[in-house]
Amino acid sequence: MNVYAESSSPSASTSSSDASPRAATRRTVLRGLGAVTAAGTAAVCLPAAAAHAAPRATAGATPDAAGTHALTLVHLGRDGAPTTAYRTLLTALSGPDAGSGREVKDSPGTVTLQVPAGRYMLDSTFSTRPVGEEDWGNDWLVRPRLDVDRDTTLVLDARVARPVDVRPPFADAVFEQAGLFAEVTYEGVTGFANLMARSPDLRVAHLGPDTERGAVRTWADSYWKRPAGVCALGYLFRGERAPTGLVRRPAAGDLATLVVRAGVPASGAGTGAGLVDFTPSPGPSPAVPLAVPFGSTGTFHFTAERGTWDLVYSVPSETEGPSNSHFVLGRSYAPGSTTVHTFDTPVHGPALDPSPGARPVAQRTGDTLDLTVPLLADGDGHVPSSPPFTASTVTLHRNGALLATRRGETPGHASFTLPAGRASYRLTASATRPRGSVTTTWTFTSAATATATELPLSAVRFGADLALDGTAPAHTPTRVAVTVQGAARRVGVRSLTVSVSTDGGTTWTPAPLAAGRIELTTPAPGRTVSLRAELTDRDGNTLTQTHRDAYVTRAATATR
């Protein structure tokens, strides 16, 4: 029988890791309670492996002693005395129960488990309420490698844990919550453990021998609230050990900054707030959402080295429908940089993703044409999940004759069955918003294809300088940026003209395009500006894109 008094070295090292997930089979860990069989001792048998987890022969460094062994766990708190204030999780990484596990809590301080021989991951969380303190302290012990080949006793001693001290460089920041996560991969099986804490009194320690090289990934996240903002401090490590303690005190210049500007939704209600979830892409995180009132801003300060980040901006539905969300996913940021995202402001219109490998918004496969153009992206190009609209139509003409019409579906989305022969097509998608409308017409030629083939659609983006309520000052000279996306950007533009209307689209005035911008003078307060682009690419495909009542003018200065 082996007896181990678990200890750890405060200098246990962790190494930096990139954000790429490691390829490994992740199996669900079963969490359940063991049955107490005698006063002061509990005996727990790990469940039989799930039906999909076939018995595995142990190999490599895993002990190959067959049979079941007694694993006795002795839990000692911060004061060195036996404690029942713990939660221990044992996850099988090899042997007949690979991929399954057992959680033990609300049990005596000494627990005996009957476990099959094999490799395991063990983690144990101790809760302590120090005298005179309101918040509970948490000690987390992680043993990424536990090889069981005989009866063994482990002493799990919370006193070996060392502080996790991660805090931002802002005096007005208030601790919100933290999360520690450990992932261990062995022979294609991945074990996972975590600790979520609402108190800054948090400590951690690695237990036992090193694992195989690079088998352990650890995430450590600490979130702090500020007035109108959040500090998200996250670190990612890969190595052979879990961390023992962690101290990080980043300076302001070490952090990246994200500013979220919340526009007033199309309903014009002006009250309420958008909800921002800003989380690291790789691994889990306890993230703290931020409510940003319409017409105002919210700020995130965060650690760029945590990897890429995902931003979701959501506006609750005013009806029974789903909330309208915008996604900015997998973005990298540099320390010291400032990035601004503005949501729900004009000019709303089609947006074609220019990133390499992006899914085509229009393609033909055989005799089927599929259209998924985001017709109502906001002024920054963010695509809404449930755009507000009052009417939506898509029509398709073939050689001048109407082929089909689709109504009421998601704006810019439709599917058509086409005759096989080569023909000229005119495709028109339109949507009416609570304020204004968008109509886009494309012409191109097409024939049946053997494989999915992208259709040569283009779009024009108008970048107007507007307040968060979607308005511009009246009687003011202003410039509007004009950007081409899609096929015309790839093959080149043969011609592009832009026109402006200040009477709702009744009359149009050409607006010369220079250096990617047009100039116009806004009309009287309460009037609207409409925009139209007419484009031909170098292959002869055309686009006519009209934004009626794209935005409104105001007399007073609005929030910027």
Side-chain angles (χ1 to χ4, degrees), residues 177-367:
Q177 61 181 336
L180 295 174
F181 311 89
E183 180 184 89
V184 181
T185 300
Y186 178 72
E187 291 189 344
V189 178
T190 296
F192 182 79
N194 67 277
L195 169 65
M196 308 292 286
R198 298 300 299 268
S199 165
D201 184 3
L202 176 61
R203 309 192 311 172
V204 63
H206 168 94
L207 303 180
D210 291 0
T211 65
E212 288 72 22
R213 184 175 182 180
V216 180
R217 287 204 303 172
T218 307
W219 297 266
D221 293 325
S222 179
Y223 286 82
W224 300 66
K225 292 291 289 288
R226 300 184 68 204
V230 169
C231 294
L233 309 181
Y235 301 91
L236 172 60
F237 308 99
R238 186 193 295 275
E240 293 72 56
R241 302 169 64 88
T244 293
L246 179 66
V247 177
R248 292 290 187 275
R249 301 287 185 85
D254 298 329
L255 303 178
T257 301
L258 173 71
V259 179
V260 175
R261 305 174 73 238
V264 178
S267 63
T271 59
L275 187 66
V276 183
D277 281 301
F278 188 61
T279 60
S281 307
S285 178
V288 174
L290 178 66
V292 182
F294 300 145
S296 67
T297 64
T299 302
F300 290 83
H301 296 284
F302 59 100
T303 47
E305 61 264 43
R306 180 60 166 82
T308 59
W309 290 77
D310 297 336
L311 166 65
V312 182
Y313 176 84
S314 301
V315 175
S317 172
E318 296 182 355
T319 62
E320 296 295 326
S323 61
N324 185 26
S325 298
H326 304 75
F327 301 87
V328 183
L329 306 179
R331 296 293 179 87
S332 297
Y333 303 87
S337 66
T338 297
T339 303
V340 179
H341 283 285
T342 303
F343 294 93
D344 269 343
T345 59
V347 173
H348 293 86
L352 308 185
D353 188 350
S355 59
R359 185 183 184 278
V361 297
Q363 60 183 6
R364 180 169 181 168
T365 307
D367 293 335

Side-chain angles (χ1 to χ4, degrees), residues 31-197:
R31 295 173 180 249
L33 294 180
V36 177
T37 60
T41 302
V44 182
C45 292
L46 287 177
H52 67 276
R56 297 163 49 92
T58 57
T62 303
D64 58 4
T68 299
H69 304 289
L71 175 63
T72 300
L73 306 176
V74 181
H75 299 84
L76 303 179
R78 285 188 183 182
D79 58 1
T83 181
T84 59
Y86 68 86
R87 182 235 60 173
T88 295
L89 178 65
L90 186 70
T91 304
L93 300 178
S94 73
D97 292 338
S100 66
R102 176 68 68 175
E103 182 182 65
V104 183
K105 62 181 181 180
D106 300 327
S107 298
T110 298
V111 178
T112 297
L113 313 175
Q114 297 298 324
V115 302
R119 170 73 65 88
Y120 294 86
M121 173 188 184
L122 180 144
D123 80 285
S124 191
T125 302
F126 296 80
S127 297
T128 304
R129 188 171 186 175
V131 177
E133 298 290 338
E134 295 183 0
D135 294 325
W136 288 86
N138 293 282
D139 300 307
W140 194 41
L141 309 182
V142 182
R143 180 163 177 151
R145 176 177 179 173
L146 173 60
D147 295 325
V148 176
D149 62 351
R150 67 198 71 184
D151 291 352
T152 303
T153 295
L154 298 181
V155 179
L156 304 174
D157 190 340
R159 291 173 296 178
V160 305
R162 296 294 179 263
V164 175
D165 186 3
V166 178
R167 61 186 62 224
F170 305 111
D172 59 356
V174 178
F175 177 82
E176 185 72 16
Q177 61 181 336
L180 295 174
F181 311 89
E183 180 184 89
V184 181
T185 300
Y186 178 72
E187 291 189 344
V189 178
T190 296
F192 182 79
N194 67 277
L195 169 65
M196 308 292 286

Side-chain angles (χ1 to χ4, degrees), residues 17-35:
S17 166
D18 58 29
S20 326
R22 182 172 179 174
T25 302
R26 184 186 295 274
R27 301 181 186 174
T28 302
V29 173
L30 306 177
R31 295 173 180 249
L33 294 180

Side-chain angles (χ1 to χ4, degrees), residues 345-352 373-384 433 437-440 459-462 485 545-547 550:
T345 59
V347 173
H348 293 86
L352 308 185
V373 173
L375 200 61
L376 295 177
D378 67 17
D380 260 16
H382 304 118
V383 176
R433 290 170 40 81
S437 66
V438 179
T439 301
T440 305
V460 171
R461 299 288 305 165
F462 291 104
Q485 295 180 336
Q545 183 175 311
T546 303
H547 302 255

